[in-house]
């Protein structure tokens, strides 16, 4: 009551009021043997590659919440501006909100300058925001796009460091995807070759990492054109049984075909029965 | 713009809470205005980011003024600070939220969006200070 009477100016942004209480609750809960709810992570494979005319970004589509799949077909390639897209790994909410904020800021900036935004601008904005929060915002991003200086690809880590490279991977399946890239990457590839390479890298992540799965999304960005292929490839089909033979599904059917057992002789004996008594019992439907 | 690291910011600009942090005008705990307090709550921040976030705008301004002073001389930041002081005085009544439009335009944050615009927007706050007491406090008659 007293504090409400003469309040200081209420600032927006993150509120740390409940942190002490949460720390106490966490300690109590751990003593009892339970665990507090975990944030939903994307547990991902995301990657990007620079080819001759532009950039190809790829991502899987599974979002996990601990050991359970929370979303079988989530979209991890986020729009930043018409010529810049960003894949996000880490905590799902963090990547979502961060990319939306940067997208809004970049739009305002481009309206102010009157030019198409540059990838380096988006990179700088993301890096400064993530550094400000010292890694507490768990967003690992792969940022790619084409602007007036050419195609560019950046990887951005949760603490705010960035790398500008011709091919990058992030997420829990990044090692599997990077193995594919290290083997088959060549500078100045053609578009089909680049798409195939990214598709194979994401597939490696999907099949070898528990945190990645479902479909493969691709985003091909060139000067003046963006192809958002969702889904580009359905790596894991669900609910389709293998092979049907003659309309019957082959798996799970244990009946023998007609003619399996040969017939030797056949004898038919009619039984003459007569009706002795007939009684009707009504059902009690009240 | 952001040429200095975080460590240099924290070293000079973190406000150290004194021995009696809730001190009012007579040097003792001011329970009426700031509520009950405990030493543990006051001394340690509840989250590592709490202090750096509370002072973020202040530290940004300090850093920018320092850079401006090094590049253009003392008068540039002095003049700007005078303008900031004037803009900061354009406020509504103490219990109502002010837009601070002039201050935002001077700072250049009028065309950028951050977490302070999306989360915990003061316009949508559910509690409000008591109008009479707040105006009296501002005018100094309380």
């Amino acid at each position: 009551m007293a504090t409400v009477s003469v309040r200081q100016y209420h600032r927006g942004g993150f509120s740390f009021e409940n942190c002490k209480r949460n720390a106490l609750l966490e300690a109590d809960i751990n003593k009892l043997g339970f665990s507090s709810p975990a944030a939903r992570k994307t547990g991902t494979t995301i990657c990007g590659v620079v080819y001759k005319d532009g950039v190809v970004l790829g991502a899987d589509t599974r979002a996990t919440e601990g050991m359970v799949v929370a979303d079988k077909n989530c979209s991890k390639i986020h729009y930043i501006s018409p010529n810049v897209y960003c894949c996000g790994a880490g905590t799902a909410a963090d990547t979502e909100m961060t990319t939306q904020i940067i997208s809004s800021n970049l739009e305002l900036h481009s309206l102010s300058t009157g030019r198409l935004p540059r990838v380096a601008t988006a990179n700088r904005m993301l890096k400064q925001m993530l550094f400000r929060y010292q890694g507490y915002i768990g967003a690992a991003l792969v940022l790619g796009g084409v602007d007036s200086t050419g195609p560019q690809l950046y990887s951005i880590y949760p603490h705010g460091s960035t790398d500008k490279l011709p091919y990058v991977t992030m997420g829990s399946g990044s090692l599997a995807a990077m193995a594919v890239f290290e083997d088959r990457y060549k500078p100045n590839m053609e578009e089909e070759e680049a798409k195939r390479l990214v598709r194979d890298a994401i597939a490696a992540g999907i099949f070898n990492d528990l945190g990645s799965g479902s479909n493969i999304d691709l985003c091909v960005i060139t000067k003046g054109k963006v192809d958002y292929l969702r889904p580009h490839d359905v790596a894991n089909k669900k609910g389709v049984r293998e092979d049907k033979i003659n309309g019957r599904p082959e798996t799970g059917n244990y009946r023998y075909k007609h003619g399996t057992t040969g017939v030797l002789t056949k004898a038919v004996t009619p039984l003459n029965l007569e009706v002795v008594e007939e009684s009707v019992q009504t059902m009690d439907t009240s | 713009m952001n040429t200095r690291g975080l460590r240099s910011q924290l070293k000079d600009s973190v406000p150290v809470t004194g021995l009696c942090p809730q001190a009012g005008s007579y040097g003792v705990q001011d329970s009426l205005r700031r509520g009950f307090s405990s030493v543990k709550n006051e001394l340690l921040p509840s989250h590592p980011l709490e202090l750096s976030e509370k002072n973020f705008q202040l530290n940004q301004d300090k850093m920018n003024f320092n850079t401006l002073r090094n590049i253009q001389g003392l008068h540039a930041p002095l003049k700007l600070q005078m303008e900031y002081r004037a803009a900061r005085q354009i406020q509504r009544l103490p219990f109502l939220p002010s837009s601070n439009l002039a201050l935002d335009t001077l700072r250049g944050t009028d065309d950028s969006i951050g977490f302070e615009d999306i989360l915990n927007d003061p316009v949508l706050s559910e509690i409000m200070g008591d109008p009479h007491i707040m105006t009296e406090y501002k005018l100094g008659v309380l």
Side-chain angles (χ1 to χ4, degrees):
Chain A
M1 187 66 196
T3 38
V4 178
S5 302
V6 188
R7 282 184 72 239
Q8 309 298 330
Y9 172 61
H10 170 85
R11 216 170 269 131
F14 290 108
S15 160
F16 298 99
E17 284 167 358
N18 290 332
C19 284
K20 284 214 166 75
R21 177 204 75 166
N22 290 348
L24 275 170
L25 280 177
E26 183 105 21
D28 282 342
I29 286 179
N30 281 335
K31 240 185 293 182
L32 289 173
F34 302 110
S35 66
S36 48
R40 183 205 285 200
K41 303 180 76 72
T42 52
T44 306
T45 310
I46 50 175
C47 66
V49 90
V50 174
Y51 72 102
K52 197 174 67 168
D53 307 317
V55 162
V56 179
L57 299 173
D60 71 304
T61 59
R62 174 184 289 183
T64 52
E65 208 168 81
M67 286 286 120
V68 176
V69 173
D71 192 343
K72 293 187 282 272
N73 201 354
C74 73
S75 161
K76 298 186 190 177
I77 306 186
H78 309 283
Y79 166 89
I80 302 264
S81 80
N83 58 331
V84 176
Y85 277 73
C86 180
C87 312
T91 311
D94 288 346
T95 58
E96 190 76 39
M97 292 304 308
T98 307
T99 46
Q100 281 176 352
I101 287 182
I102 297 302
S103 167
S104 305
N105 276 331
L106 210 58
E107 175 74 18
L108 287 169
H109 183 81
S110 96
L111 284 170
S112 177
T113 57
R115 299 187 172 109
L116 202 61
R118 294 194 180 189
V119 191
T121 319
N123 176 49
R124 185 69 53 148
M125 286 181 175
L126 280 164
K127 158 205 263 252
Q128 284 177 352
M129 168 181 280
L130 290 175
F131 182 69
R132 173 178 168 179
Y133 293 102
Q134 291 289 290
Y136 282 96
I137 293 190
L141 310 164
V142 166
L143 178 75
V146 179
D147 58 21
S148 54
T149 48
Q152 286 160 69
L153 189 64
Y154 294 89
S155 70
I156 305 167
Y157 292 84
H159 281 265
S161 61
T162 62
D163 284 314
K164 177 166 189 270
L165 293 165
Y167 57 96
V168 291
T169 65
M170 292 282 240
S172 53
S174 63
L175 292 174
M178 185 51 92
V180 176
F181 274 164
E182 288 288 359
D183 188 31
R184 286 162 46 185
Y185 171 79
K186 293 191 308 294
N188 286 332
M189 287 183 286
E190 294 299 327
E191 177 172 335
E192 279 313 311
E193 202 185 339
K195 276 162 72 169
R196 225 183 355 254
L197 179 61
V198 172
R199 186 241 158 245
D200 287 344
I202 301 287
I206 286 177
F207 289 119
N208 295 300
D209 175 44
L210 287 179
S212 317
S214 302
N215 315 327
I216 301 172
D217 287 349
L218 279 196
C219 186
V220 183
I221 310 174
T222 51
K223 196 175 181 60
K225 189 166 83 89
V226 171
D227 270 333
Y228 193 104
L229 304 159
R230 178 177 154 80
H232 170 68
D233 194 351
V234 185
N236 303 122
K237 285 193 190 43
K238 189 183 148 159
V240 174
R241 293 199 174 211
E242 302 296 315
D243 297 328
K244 274 179 172 304
I245 293 186
N246 294 333
R248 308 173 311 145
E250 185 160 83
T251 53
N253 189 323
Y254 298 100
R255 299 187 69 177
Y256 293 101
K257 290 200 302 290
H258 271 293
T260 309
T261 313
V263 178
L264 295 176
T265 53
K266 194 160 87 170
V268 178
T269 313
L271 289 170
N272 294 320
L273 303 166
E274 41 185 80
V275 181
V276 173
E277 192 195 318
E278 193 178 312
S279 67
V280 175
Q281 198 171 33
T282 49
M283 231 166 45
D284 188 0
T285 54
S286 57
Chain B
M1 198 181 61
N2 267 344
T3 49
R4 314 268 184 100
L6 200 64
R7 193 175 278 278
S8 69
Q9 285 183 30
L10 287 178
K11 202 161 44 110
D12 301 326
S13 328
V14 166
V16 179
T17 50
L19 285 170
C20 197
Q22 298 269 22
S25 31
Y26 295 103
V28 292
Q29 209 171 357
D30 199 353
S31 301
L32 175 68
R33 299 211 184 84
R34 282 175 254 261
F36 299 115
S37 72
S38 85
V39 176
K40 195 167 78 164
N41 278 341
E42 293 305 314
L43 280 182
L44 298 169
S46 44
H47 189 92
L49 283 182
E50 189 180 355
L51 282 174
S52 103
E53 275 301 295
K54 199 155 65 137
N55 301 318
F56 185 74
Q57 202 50 56
L58 215 74
N59 292 339
Q60 282 289 93
D61 288 346
K62 257 188 215 172
M63 210 158 60
N64 289 338
F65 282 139
N66 255 322
T67 322
L68 200 57
R69 178 191 178 157
N70 289 336
I71 297 175
Q72 294 187 6
L74 183 59
H75 188 71
L78 274 184
K79 185 166 184 321
L80 274 179
Q81 270 178 326
M82 188 186 74
E83 289 180 13
Y84 275 46
R85 205 172 273 235
R88 213 172 280 139
Q89 289 177 2
I90 307 170
Q91 299 271 307
R92 295 175 71 191
L93 290 171
F95 49 91
L96 295 170
S98 318
S99 69
N100 290 324
L101 188 59
L103 199 58
D104 276 349
T105 312
L106 276 176
R107 276 205 190 108
T109 55
D110 62 337
D111 60 355
S112 73
I113 295 180
F115 285 113
E116 54 273 359
D117 300 308
I118 299 172
L119 303 171
N120 266 338
D121 198 355
V123 174
L124 305 170
S125 153
E126 291 146 355
I127 40 177
M128 188 175 98
D130 185 4
H132 297 287
I133 298 190
M134 286 184 86
T135 7
E136 284 172 18
Y137 182 68
K138 181 144 191 270
L139 293 172
V141 293
L142 183 63

